[in-house]
Amino acid sequence: VRPLVALLLLVGAATASAYDSRCYHGNGAACHAGPDSARQRWRGPSDEHRQLWEKTVALSGLTAPPGMTASLASSEFTLQVFTKDDIVPDGTGAQVPTLTPVRFADAERAPSRTMTPSEFAQLPDFGYSLFDWATGFETCPLDSALPASAPLDACHDFSTHMGAVNSNHFLPQAQAFYVLYHQLALDRAAACKKMKDRIVARGGQVATFDEFVRACEQEAFVLEAIGHHYLQDAWSTGHMWERWGSPDLIDFTDLQQSLLIAMTSGLIHGARGVLQDVLGFAGFDVNDPLCAPGPLVRFVPGPISTPVLGLGDLFLGQLLNQAGAAFPAQYFQLFSCAATSLRQVQRAMGDQPGALDPSLIEVADPTGSACFAQRATNAAMVDGIGLDFVTPGGVPVRVELDSLAATQLVATASAAVGGSPQNVNPILQANYAFDMARIVTHARLRGLAEPDATDLASGGLGPLLGIDRNGAFVQQPLAPYVDPPLPWPDSPTAANDATNRALALARTFHAGHAIDWCNRFRDGATDGSDVDLLRAHVHVVQAAGTGGDELAAACLACETFAERHLRVGTDAGNYDTSREPLCHFLADDAASTQYVFQPGDPGDATEALAARYCDCASISTTSTTTTLPAVTTTTLPAPTGTITFDLNLPAGSAPQFIGSGTFVVSITNNGGGHFGTSASWGGGTLFVQTPETTCGTNPTTYGLGEVTGTLFTEPTSVTGEFLIKVPLTTPAGACPLDSSGFLPLIFDGELLTPNLIRFFQVCVGTPNCYDTRFIDASVVSVEGVVQIGP
Amino acid sequence: MPAVVDAVRVRRCIRSSNRGVRSVMGPARAVFVLLVAIFAATIPPAGASSSRHRCLDACANDVHACIALAQTRARTLRSACTGSSSSARATCRHAARAGLRLSVGSCHTLRKDCRACCRAGGQGPACPVGRPVDFVPPPPQDLGGLGVPRRDDGTFFVLAIPNASLGIDPTRRDAIVAAGACARWITTCVTGGGHALDDCLRSAPPCTTARPWEEPAACCAPVCFERYQEARRGGSEALTAFETVVFGADPCMPGVADLLRTGQP
C-alpha cells in the first residue's frame, strides 16, 4: 500500500454514515471522534440508528425478564471494567483515563461504563467493532494498512478515516456484516441459555445468579444491535446500491483514489449529511437523493416485486410517521426483518417472545434475500447522480451531473492535510473525469431505457478508477478489524489479533462471560485467572500504602471474582453445600474450577464474605455525597451537588426504594430543539418517557412524568419554563438496591444536577413513544421528597 | 408484391430498431425479419426491382435530409461567428465550412452505403446504421445563475468535507471535456430528443480539428461514428458499442488517450 496517512486525512466524509448516528456530551455538545466518543452516551437528537432499534424492540414483542418492566434490549446496563491507571490523548488536547481492560490481577482503576443496547446500533459509525469500543477507541484498527499510526481521533473520524472503508454500510457488504453480528448474537444468546440450563440442571436457582444471566443477554443484544446497524443501512435508499470499494484499506492503491471514490459514493448517496452545514450552503436545504425522498427515489424490494417509494438517512422521521403510512413497503420490510432478527435472539436465549406487532410478519430468514435483495431503481440512481437543494429564497435547484459536467469535476484537498489543487495527481484526475463521464452516460441511458430495473445499483455502473463494486470485496475475514469469532476469550490464534481482542471483550463483559471465566480460573493459573492472585494483589497494594482508587480497584476485582468462586466454610471438606457459588453451577467441570473458602454465618451475604476473603471489608468503593440512614426522608431544594444517595447498608439487607411524593424538575430551554406536538409528529398524548430511577443496573420506571408548560408547534423554539413532575411511587416488582447501595437519582439516564444542560426526551404517540423529540434545556432546580427504607 | 414491401421494411427495421437504447432486436422480431428475408429471396426478379426502387427512394430521402441538416448546422455556426476579432470570425467561419464539408461527406457515404444496401436486398453489412436526425441539445446548466455556491477557487460546489471538496469547473477545456461534450450531445439526443442511439451517433456534429475542445460547439470526431457503425454492423449492442467507442480502451475522441496516460493535454 502506498503511503496512506495523508491520503486518508482527506477521505471519506462525503460517504455518508447511513441513518444518522450521534454522540453527545451531557451539555449537548457533540463528541469528539475517538476516545472521547467511547466515553459518552450515544443518544440525543438525530440518533436515527438508536431510534430504529428502539422502534424495533417496541414492535417485536420482546418480553421483559422477571421483575423488569422493559426488555433487556432497551434497558440500561453498567459494566465494571478493570484498567491500569493510565491516560490516553482524546484528540482535543486533553488526557482521559484508559478504558482498556487489563488482567484482573493488575487492576488499578475500576471505571463504570453505562450504555443501552440501542446505543450500539450506532457503533459502526463511531468505531470499527465492539472490541474497538471495549478498548475505549484507544487503538487504530487501520494501522496495519498505514505506514504510521494514525491519531486516535482521526482514525475514528468519519470525515478522515472511517468513511474510506464504509463500503460495508452499502449492499451487499452490509448483508455480510449483519450476518456476522447476528450470528455472534445468536451464539451468545445460546450461551446465556446454557448458563440458565446449567444452573437449573445442577440444582440452583436462576434468580440467585440473575445478574450474570442478564449481563449475558444484554451482551447478546449489544451484538445484535451492531448487526442491526448494517440491516438498517440496507434499508436506506442511499445505501441500496453497490458503491465501489472495500472495507479493508489495503485494497485501495493510493490517497487520491480513495478520496475520489469516497466522495463520489457520497454524492450518489445524497449529500445532505455533508453539505447541510457547509458554510457555502448556509440557509440552503440540501434535500439530495438518494436519501432524500422524491417521486424518483424508489427501490425494488426483492427479486419479484415492483418499485416502491423509499427514503434514507436524515429522513427517518418521515418513515416512522404514522407507522410508515407514506412508505409502507419500506417500513413493513425493514421492521419485519429487524423484528424477526430480534425475536430469533430472544428464542436463542430460551425465552419465547410475545406477540409480534400485527402490522409485521416474521420473515423466514432475516439474513437472506427477503431482507437484503432490495436495490434502488435505475431511475433513482440517475436521480442520485446530481445535487438537489432549495436555495435560501425557496427556489428548488437540481445540478445535473451530465456527461459534460462529469468531465469538469475537480477534486481539491486542503493544504492542512497535505494537499492542494495543484498536487492532485493529474493522471488520476483525468481518469476520474473520464470514468465519471462514462458512468453518468451509462446511467442516463439505462435510466431511460429501463427506469424500473436495478442493474445500475447492482454493479452496473462499472468500476471507478479501477476499483470494483463492493460486492467484489466480500471476503473472509470481512475486514481486518471485525470482532473475533467466539468464544471470548479463546485460545491463541493468528487471525485478526483474535486473542487480544477476544480477551478485551471477555474482560469488558466479564459478568456475561461468567462461564468462560469460571472455566479459566484455576489455582496458579499462568494467565492471572486466579482468585488467590487477585487477593495477593490487594495485599501488595495495601502493603505499599497506596490506598485510594487503586486499592478500591484491586478489592473490587478480587471481590467480584471471589464471590463467584467462594464456598462458605473453611476448606473442601467443610463448607456450606447449600450455598454453592456461581462457578459451581457454570463451569464446564464443576469439580475442577477454582474454589476459595471463607467461613461465615448463614445470614452473611456472599458479597460481604468475598470482601472479607479479599481483606477488603472496610473498603468503600463508592464516592459519597450524601449519606443517609437506612430510612430517611429528605427534601432537596435546589441542591448544589450531584444528587445521589449513597447508603452504607448492613450486610445482607435488601432495602427497597419506597419513594413517595413528587419529584419536580424545572427546566429552562436554551433556545434549541423543539418541544410540543404537531400533526407531522403523529399527534397523540405528550408524556415524559420512562423517567428512570435506577437501582443497580436495572432501570425501573417510577411513574410517568407530567409535563406542564406552554406547548407549541414545530418549528417554533421553546421559550418557556417547564415543570416535569415525576410521582415517585414504588411500582410492583421494583428492583432492590444493588450491593453497593448506590442510588443515583437519574432522569432519563442523566444524573440530575443544577444547571445540567442536556436533551430532555419527550415522546409523542401512545403507548410506545414512537416519535421522540428533544429539547435542549437546563435544570434550574430540583425539589422533591424521597423516602428510602428497608 | 407484399414481399417487396417487406423487403424494404427489413432495411428500415435494421436502421430503426434502436429506439432509445434498446438495440438488440427482439427474438420475435428477428424471426420475423429472417422469415421475410427468406421469403423475399424467393420472389420473382420483378418484385426485387420494385423493392430496390423503393429502397433507393428512401435512401434519397435520407441523404437529402442529411445534407439539409448539414447546411442548417453550418448556417447556425456561421451566424454565431460574431466575435469582435476579425481573425476569430474568420476562424469561426472556417470551422463552419469545414464542418459542412465533413457533414456533406458523411452524407455521401450514407448514400453510397444505402445504395449498396438496397442492392443487397435491404440488409447486410453494407447497410448504414442510423438515420440523420435534427437535434439541438440544451445548453449546459448555468450553475452561477442557479445559485450554486462557489468554492474559493471559483468553481462550483458539488461536495465539501472538512479537508477536501469536489467542484465543477465549467471553464475547463481539454480532450476529456470534449469527449464529455460529445457524449452529452448523444445522450441528450436520446434522453431529451427521443431519438434512437443509432440515429444520434450518426447525427452528432462532426469535429473538424484534432483539438475539439477548442471548437465552438460540442462535436464528435467522425471516427467515433465510423467505429460505432462498424461495431453495430458486427452485431454489437448499441449501448455497448457507444460506450466502447467513446469510453473504451481506445477512445475515439482525439487527445483523450494521451491525456489519460500522461495527465497532460
Side-chain angles (χ1 to χ4, degrees), chain A residues 162-513:
Chain A
M162 293 195 68
V165 291
N166 90 323
S167 60
N168 56 347
H169 296 234
F170 289 71
L171 288 166
Q173 282 181 3
Q175 179 180 14
F177 276 73
Y178 160 75
V179 169
L180 170 77
Y181 280 99
H182 181 55
Q183 191 58 54
L184 285 173
L186 291 173
D187 290 347
R188 285 304 297 151
C192 307
K193 180 177 184 300
K194 184 165 74 173
M195 194 181 280
K196 291 181 282 192
D197 290 346
R198 279 190 177 177
I199 293 171
V200 172
R202 296 180 185 178
Q205 298 289 324
V206 173
T208 306
F209 306 105
D210 191 49
E211 64 176 296
F212 298 96
V213 174
R214 291 184 180 179
C216 180
E217 293 177 345
Q218 279 161 332
E219 182 200 359
F221 283 127
V222 164
L223 289 162
E224 177 72 0
I226 297 171
H228 274 232
H229 182 102
Y230 299 103
L231 175 62
Q232 294 162 357
D233 277 356
W235 287 96
S236 163
T237 45
H239 296 251
M240 292 180 185
W241 64 286
E242 300 189 25
R243 69 152 276 190
W244 308 271
S246 166
D248 188 351
L249 202 53
I250 209 160
D251 290 323
F252 293 96
T253 55
D254 62 26
L255 168 66
Q256 292 88 350
Q257 180 198 52
S258 183
L259 167 67
L260 291 175
I261 289 171
M263 295 181 80
T264 306
S265 300
L267 176 64
I268 297 174
H269 161 281
R272 182 180 181 85
V274 294
L275 281 186
Q276 189 67 44
D277 297 327
V278 168
L279 187 59
F281 280 84
F284 286 68
D285 181 19
V286 185
N287 52 348
D288 190 35
L290 284 171
C291 282
L296 295 177
V297 179
R298 300 191 302 160
F299 67 94
V300 176
I304 308 174
S305 50
T306 55
V308 295
L309 291 173
L311 51 64
D313 313 1
L314 301 170
F315 294 90
L316 177 63
Q318 293 186 41
L319 179 66
L320 299 182
N321 191 29
Q322 296 180 2
F327 303 90
Q330 189 174 10
Y331 180 94
F332 171 75
Q333 279 196 257
L334 162 57
F335 287 113
S336 290
C337 290
T340 299
S341 184
L342 258 183
R343 292 167 67 86
Q344 286 187 349
V345 173
Q346 184 163 55
R347 288 194 183 103
M349 293 171 178
D351 299 327
Q352 187 61 32
L356 177 67
D357 187 280
S359 68
L360 306 179
I361 62 168
E362 283 206 65
V363 299
D365 178 11
T367 68
S369 61
C371 300
F372 290 96
Q374 62 277 15
R375 294 291 187 277
T377 64
N378 288 348
M381 291 295 291
V382 174
D383 207 26
I385 302 175
L387 180 62
D388 292 71
F389 56 81
V390 178
T391 67
V395 179
V397 172
R398 175 169 173 82
V399 177
E400 292 285 356
L401 194 61
D402 61 21
S403 310
L404 172 61
T407 60
Q408 295 170 326
L409 286 170
V410 179
T412 63
S414 76
V417 292
S420 73
Q422 289 71 40
N423 71 7
V424 171
N425 182 337
I427 296 177
L428 194 74
Q429 173 73 59
N431 280 273
Y432 173 71
F434 193 63
D435 276 359
M436 285 303 294
R438 172 185 55 75
I439 288 167
V440 302
T441 298
H442 179 82
R444 283 166 173 269
L445 292 174
R446 285 297 303 150
L448 174 73
E450 295 191 71
D452 290 346
T454 59
D455 51 282
L456 293 178
S458 305
L461 295 176
L464 176 58
L465 294 174
I467 296 296
D468 208 342
R469 55 180 170 163
N470 67 351
F473 293 97
V474 179
Q475 45 210 2
Q476 288 298 332
L478 292 174
Y481 45 77
V482 295
D483 285 306
L486 292 165
W488 303 338
D490 194 9
S491 301
T493 64
N496 291 340
D497 191 24
T499 304
N500 289 333
R501 294 176 180 184
L503 203 50
L505 287 160
R507 285 170 173 163
T508 299
F509 294 90
H510 59 79
H513 283 267

Side-chain angles (χ1 to χ4, degrees), chain A residues 542-612:
Chain A
Q542 287 171 334
T546 306
D549 290 339
E550 185 170 348
L551 179 57
C555 279
L556 187 57
C558 181
E559 292 168 11
T560 297
F561 288 93
E563 186 182 351
R564 301 181 193 179
H565 296 264
L566 190 141
R567 281 173 163 168
V568 184
T570 56
D571 53 46
N574 178 24
Y575 68 93
D576 185 351
T577 56
S578 69
R579 299 183 66 184
E580 288 284 12
L582 176 73
C583 288
H584 168 78
F585 297 101
L586 294 189
D588 290 349
D589 179 3
S592 62
T593 190
Q594 186 178 29
Y595 293 103
V596 296
F597 297 88
Q598 178 64 42
D601 298 326
D604 289 342
T606 52
E607 300 97 314
L609 293 173
R612 201 179 306 163

